[in-house]
Amino acid sequence: MALAYHRTHGLDVVVSRGSNTYGSRQFPEKLIPLLVTNLMEGLPVPLYGDGRNVRDWLHVSDHCRAVGLLLAKGGPGEVYNVGGGTELTNADITARLLAACGAGWEMVDRVADRKGHDARYSLDIRKISTELGYAPHRKFDEALEETIRWYDRNRSWWRPLKASAALT
């Protein structure tokens, strides 16, 4: 719709497509905060299907920096993909979170995969990188540890959200 307005009316539009964003203050229904907060409460974590679905992970600070870059330098009517450069299977991310939270695979509840669930969700960031100089700055493992620490220190923020949304 936005690109149609650009083509038809000349509206200055730049489109951003981001990969899976993570970091502090993310609503606890999303994968990383859901798994982290469940593990902190001693609850099992879901692993959909065989766990081989691949996702590219983008830290929120890199995502925000990319949006700022697009606002400043993005070409009118252009579409830019923004990624973090860390592709992991859902089983890999689950294993990292289990280890970081001191839990074992007995905490994993294998559940049926969603119908039509993407096998791979990752973006080619060559355009934003070559045209605008974007590159993710955050190293995944360091940023993941920081994210886990934030959820650990801010239980009073996420517990009411999980309770009101009945998330487990």
Side-chain angles (χ1 to χ4, degrees):
M1 184 64 78
L3 290 174
Y5 266 81
H6 168 74
R7 285 188 293 273
T8 304
H9 304 289
L11 185 66
D12 187 8
V13 170
V14 178
V15 175
S16 166
R17 293 185 188 134
S19 64
N20 284 30
T21 302
Y22 71 99
S24 60
R25 296 175 184 85
Q26 187 175 31
F27 195 78
E29 71 178 355
K30 298 300 183 184
L31 183 69
I32 290 175
L34 177 65
L35 272 59
V36 168
T37 58
N38 274 17
L39 291 168
M40 288 179 180
E41 294 185 312
L43 298 172
V45 296
L47 180 60
Y48 294 94
D50 60 12
R52 292 190 292 181
N53 300 51
V54 175
R55 300 292 179 263
D56 175 50
W57 293 96
L58 171 64
H59 190 266
V60 65
S61 63
D62 284 330
H63 201 160
C64 290
R65 199 170 40 76
V67 169
L69 189 61
L70 294 177
L71 287 170
K73 297 181 180 179
E78 295 295 324
V79 178
Y80 298 90
N81 294 332
V82 181
T86 301
E87 286 189 8
L88 296 170
T89 66
N90 287 348
D92 289 337
I93 190 76
T94 300
R96 288 176 187 223
L97 294 171
L98 289 168
C101 294
W105 280 95
E106 69 279 359
M107 295 301 293
V108 175
D109 182 20
R110 293 195 175 260
V111 295
D113 206 352
R114 297 188 318 241
K115 291 184 185 214
H117 200 189
D118 296 333
R120 181 172 179 267
Y121 187 80
S122 188
L123 300 170
D124 180 349
I125 66 169
R126 282 181 288 192
K127 181 176 179 178
I128 192 172
S129 297
T130 57
E131 290 182 14
L132 305 180
Y134 168 81
H137 288 172
R138 298 303 310 268
K139 302 284 186 221
F140 181 78
D141 289 326
E142 293 170 10
L144 184 63
E145 273 298 320
E146 176 185 292
T147 300
I148 294 167
R149 279 194 308 274
W150 187 89
Y151 282 96
D152 188 35
R153 293 177 182 150
N154 293 278
R155 293 172 191 238
S156 63
W157 180 85
W158 56 262
R159 276 191 171 137
L161 294 173
K162 283 187 77 166
S164 67
L167 298 172
T168 57

